[in-house]
Amino acid sequence: MIPLSYYVTVSTMMFVIGLVGILIRKNFLIILFSIELMLNAANINLVAFSHHFGEVDGQVISLFIITVAAAEAAVGLAIIIVLFRRKATTNVDELNLMKW
Amino acid sequence: MTPIMPDIQLIAIFPESILAIFACALFVMDPFIARDKKEQLGYFSLAGLCVSGVSTLFLWGKSISTFSGMIALDNYALFFKTLFLMISALIILMSIRYIKIERINLGEYYGLILFATIGMMFMPSATDLLSFYLSLELMSMSLYVLAAFMRKDPKSIEGGIKYFLTGVFSSGLILYGVAFLFGATGTTNLGEIAAFLQENGVTSSLSLIMAFVLLITGFGFKISAVPFHMWAPDVYEGSPTPVTAFLSAGSKAAAFSVMLRVFINAFALSSGNWWPVLWVIAVLTMTLGNLVALVQTNMKRLLAYSSIAHAGYLMIGLITASQIGYAAILIYLVGYVFMTLGAFTLIILLCSANMKGDQISDFKGLARTNPMLGLVFIIFALSLIGIPPSAGFVGKLYLFNSAIQGGFYWLAIIGILNSVVSLYYYFRVVQVMYMDEPNAGTVLSFSPTLKVALGITAFLTLFLGLYPEPIIKAAIDSVQIFL
């Protein structure tokens, strides 16, 4: 039996990797992957806690999160295709039309 | 083992169901309607909003908790549902002409607005972490697409991407907070979480503090509170103007509606001693919003910073953690919604084929050529500043009053000083409208629907300032659930 704290440690590491990825990476696709990492960190947490308490609530939420993440990826990719058609780039640093 | 049938009362989601049926029908009808007749879909969605609105009014006074405690129908939820339906109807009235000018008159536009409205309507009803997250995502997902809807316009794409990234990021933070909240309390129901916290205290475990910090940050992004506000001006400037209005009125009101549920119901605001965090955020938000608005030249950006400042005022009600404070949030939100929508309607009026109409200089001499418009803008400006007789004044009066009653004197003083600062930038626009020579090429795109939208917002802004009793009574009735 693996103790709960192991799961929480793994999920925290995933969450931090995702967070840092969003903050320092410039490529839209990598940022999208980082966001997925954050969502999946939450999934691991929910499933681990759910197992710990012996309730299914958390697992149900994580199923919904997987669905939402898929929808989110679809919307994000659609938006990036629009950007790529217009500017032929996926670098978010080049989005600098508006400042202050 | 026999499966347990959960108790389901469909009446609790009746207004949303109607709207969902209309939205799906709209997507089915869309391919059969010619490109230049898409406004029919706009009228169709208005009909859906009306039907849904009537059914909402019939439900007033009911108190139902259903779907295993996921959805609650009470006066609080109904108050916000009515507000969101009105916002959505006004947005569609504003859009019909605008999306033709911008060449984005596609049926999906109306469908997405309806779906975003459904998400918003579920948000104040959500009494479970799952239903809260799903409704939040339904609203946000539709709004991401709407923000990037002018797909030929680089600014709209940029706004859409910025909104998508910050939105998804903040959803991720909220979600991780939700996971920790579940981990700390072992339940996803807000009522049960509240009961758990009553027994054990908010600071009883590290996961609870983590959950709290993550949720505050996530909601901070959603309501564009400083220091999580960076996205708002860019997204507001880039998005199509009706969508900007929808973002600043609808999504902000929705975020506040669910924030009240989560923070008051679950975290039992009054029992914790964490108000200093919110105090600092509120003061920073209103001060920075107002100060940066002083130097704006773009009208949409100016309204973006002003909406940041308004989020700061609204947080005063949260900090006081009293019945009167929560009621004040509701009263202020109603006024805020109509005056902001009205101001955006004026920008849309100025938008024509060869002019964006969103610069302050585009307003030059407008009151000279069209005195009525000048008068209407003054009503909105008075309300946004908080000068009687206007809806904004009533809201601010209640907010600052609740701060003083709660003993937060400095908060009230800073709020009032901020309102004085805001006087400058709103009246700069008024001055431009009255004192400057009119622009030669200004064409006003009056259309019946825009006139209706402008009339309704101006009338309600003034009316709620002169006769606010019904709204105050409804708001006080609504917050009875937070006892």
Side-chain angles (χ1 to χ4, degrees):
Chain A
M1 178 80 185
I2 305 169
L4 181 66
S5 58
Y6 283 37
Y7 291 108
V8 178
T9 313
V10 170
S11 97
T12 310
M13 279 160 65
M14 271 173 77
F15 186 78
V16 172
I17 293 170
L19 198 70
V20 173
I22 291 172
L23 295 178
I24 65 170
R25 298 303 288 261
K26 305 295 174 204
N27 189 312
F28 187 92
L29 293 168
I30 306 271
I31 294 177
L32 212 55
F33 297 152
S34 306
I35 287 166
E36 296 294 317
L37 267 181
M38 281 172 69
L39 296 183
N40 282 325
N43 274 342
I44 290 180
N45 246 355
L46 282 167
V47 174
F49 284 135
S50 188
H51 184 70
H52 175 72
F53 292 121
E55 288 179 30
V56 288
D57 291 15
Q59 298 185 31
V60 171
I61 294 188
S62 72
L63 278 178
F64 275 102
I65 293 172
I66 294 168
T67 321
V68 168
E72 225 156 48
V75 170
L77 290 175
I79 294 179
I80 201 64
I81 286 173
V82 169
L83 172 75
F84 194 80
R85 280 198 188 141
R86 187 82 208 178
K87 285 189 128 179
T89 176
T90 54
N91 188 335
V92 289
D93 267 5
E94 287 180 34
L95 296 170
N96 50 11
L97 280 175
M98 294 178 281
K99 265 185 195 142
W100 280 98
Chain B
M1 192 179 131
T2 50
I4 310 156
M5 275 306 285
D7 99 284
I8 290 176
Q9 285 173 282
L10 285 176
I11 188 87
I13 56 163
F14 189 70
E16 289 91 344
S17 315
I18 297 238
L19 211 52
I21 291 168
F22 267 88
C24 294
L26 195 146
F27 277 112
V28 174
M29 282 155 61
D30 181 32
F32 302 104
I33 291 178
R35 182 73 189 264
D36 54 340
K37 293 210 177 86
K38 293 287 187 200
E39 74 261 20
Q40 289 172 358
L41 290 173
Y43 297 124
F44 180 72
S45 38
L46 274 179
L49 290 167
C50 285
V51 176
S52 177
V54 170
S55 60
T56 309
L57 291 180
F58 274 112
L59 290 172
W60 182 264
K62 279 205 167 48
S63 180
I64 303 171
S65 176
T66 183
F67 291 98
S68 320
M70 287 229 179
I71 300 283
L73 187 84
D74 42 33
N75 281 351
Y76 175 76
L78 287 167
F79 182 91
F80 274 105
K81 282 179 194 190
T82 320
L83 186 65
F84 297 145
L85 285 167
M86 288 179 87
I87 295 173
S88 188
L90 284 169
I91 297 294
I92 288 174
L93 285 174
M94 288 155 74
S95 308
I96 287 174
R97 164 109 188 143
Y98 178 86
I99 60 173
K100 261 190 198 158
I101 295 173
E102 294 286 353
R103 296 164 185 286
I104 48 168
N105 52 336
L106 303 165
E108 291 89 344
Y109 181 89
Y110 300 112
L112 286 168
I113 284 189
L114 288 191
F115 274 120
T117 313
I118 297 167
M120 285 175 192
M121 287 168 71
F122 272 124
M123 279 165 82
S125 294
T127 46
D128 191 285
L129 294 174
L130 177 58
S131 53
F132 142 61
Y133 175 70
L134 285 180
S135 50
L136 181 75
E137 284 300 298
L138 178 56
M139 177 193 80
S140 314
M141 214 81 82
S142 317
L143 288 176
Y144 301 148
V145 183
L146 281 172
F149 210 79
M150 293 195 287
R151 59 182 200 279
K152 302 265 165 63
D153 177 9
K155 269 193 177 178
S156 179
I157 300 170
E158 185 177 328
I161 287 180
K162 283 179 176 167
Y163 188 45
F164 175 80
L165 288 178
T166 44
V168 176
F169 178 61
S170 59
S171 299
L173 293 179
I174 289 179
L175 199 58
Y176 207 57
V178 163
F180 269 116
L181 200 54
F182 174 67
T185 59
T187 172
T188 57
N189 188 295
L190 291 185
E192 285 170 31
I193 292 173
F196 179 91
L197 294 180
Q198 210 103 63
E199 252 170 61
N200 300 290
V202 177
T203 46
S204 61
S205 74
L206 187 65
S207 357
L208 270 178
I209 297 172
M210 275 285 280
F212 178 70
V213 171
L214 286 165
L215 283 173
I216 280 272
T217 318
F219 278 119
F221 272 108
K222 296 283 178 206
I223 63 168
S224 66
V226 176
F228 317 111
H229 68 287
M230 315 75 69
W231 61 273
D234 290 359
V235 175
Y236 281 28
E237 187 184 343
S239 310
T241 313
V243 176
T244 310
F246 203 30
L247 284 176
S248 71
S251 96
K252 193 160 284 186
F256 263 101
S257 73
V258 78
M259 202 171 162
L260 285 177
R261 272 258 200 231
V262 172
F263 280 108
I264 299 166
N265 250 4
F267 276 108
L269 270 165
S270 42
S271 63
N273 54 352
W274 45 268
W275 60 265
V277 185
L278 283 183
W279 196 95
V280 172
I281 295 178
V283 168
L284 278 178
T285 307
M286 50 189 158
T287 313
L288 192 129
N290 277 319
L291 289 182
V292 184
L294 290 175
V295 295
Q296 298 304 322
T297 54
N298 182 303
M299 196 64 194
K300 276 158 96 176
R301 265 185 117 70
L302 187 144
L303 286 173
Y305 280 108
S306 118
S307 93
I308 291 173
H310 285 293
Y313 300 137
L314 281 161
M315 286 183 74
I316 293 175
L318 263 181
I319 296 165
T320 59
S322 60
Q323 285 276 321
I324 183 157
Y326 307 145
I329 294 184
L330 266 60
I331 298 165
Y332 195 82
L333 269 177
V334 174
Y336 166 77
V337 159
F338 292 118
M339 61 207 189
T340 327
L341 288 181
F344 279 110
T345 316
L346 276 175
I347 302 178
I348 295 171
L349 264 179
L350 278 172
C351 174
S352 58
N354 48 10
M355 190 168 81
K356 273 255 174 220
D358 60 356
Q359 299 295 322
I360 292 180
S361 56
D362 294 339
F363 281 74
K364 268 184 189 167
L366 206 61
R368 289 190 183 182
T369 50
N370 204 324
M372 202 56 205
L373 278 188
L375 202 64
V376 168
F377 185 81
I378 287 181
I379 294 175
F380 296 137
L382 287 179
S383 186
L384 285 161
I385 302 162
I387 297 176
S390 60
F393 168 72
V394 179
K396 274 211 176 102
L397 185 71
Y398 269 77
L399 273 180
F400 294 153
N401 182 25
S402 73
I404 289 167
Q405 284 194 2
F408 297 94
Y409 299 109
W410 276 108
L411 205 55
I413 293 171
I414 295 170
I416 291 165
L417 286 178
N418 265 298
S419 308
V420 176
V421 173
S422 71
L423 193 133
Y424 174 77
Y425 58 83
Y426 293 122
F427 267 85
R428 199 176 42 149
V429 183
V430 174
Q431 184 210 350
V432 166
M433 284 176 90
Y434 275 91
M435 303 296 178
D436 288 5
E437 287 300 319
N439 284 340
T442 306
V443 189
L444 290 177
S445 62
F446 272 113
S447 75
T449 51
L450 264 179
K451 278 185 197 160
V452 171
L454 199 61
I456 292 175
T457 48
F459 171 75
L460 282 175
T461 308
L462 207 56
F463 180 76
L464 295 178
L466 294 169
Y467 183 61
E469 276 81 8
I471 289 296
I472 292 170
K473 203 181 155 301
I476 289 172
D477 275 355
S478 306
V479 294
Q480 293 299 328
I481 56 161
F482 302 124
L483 277 177

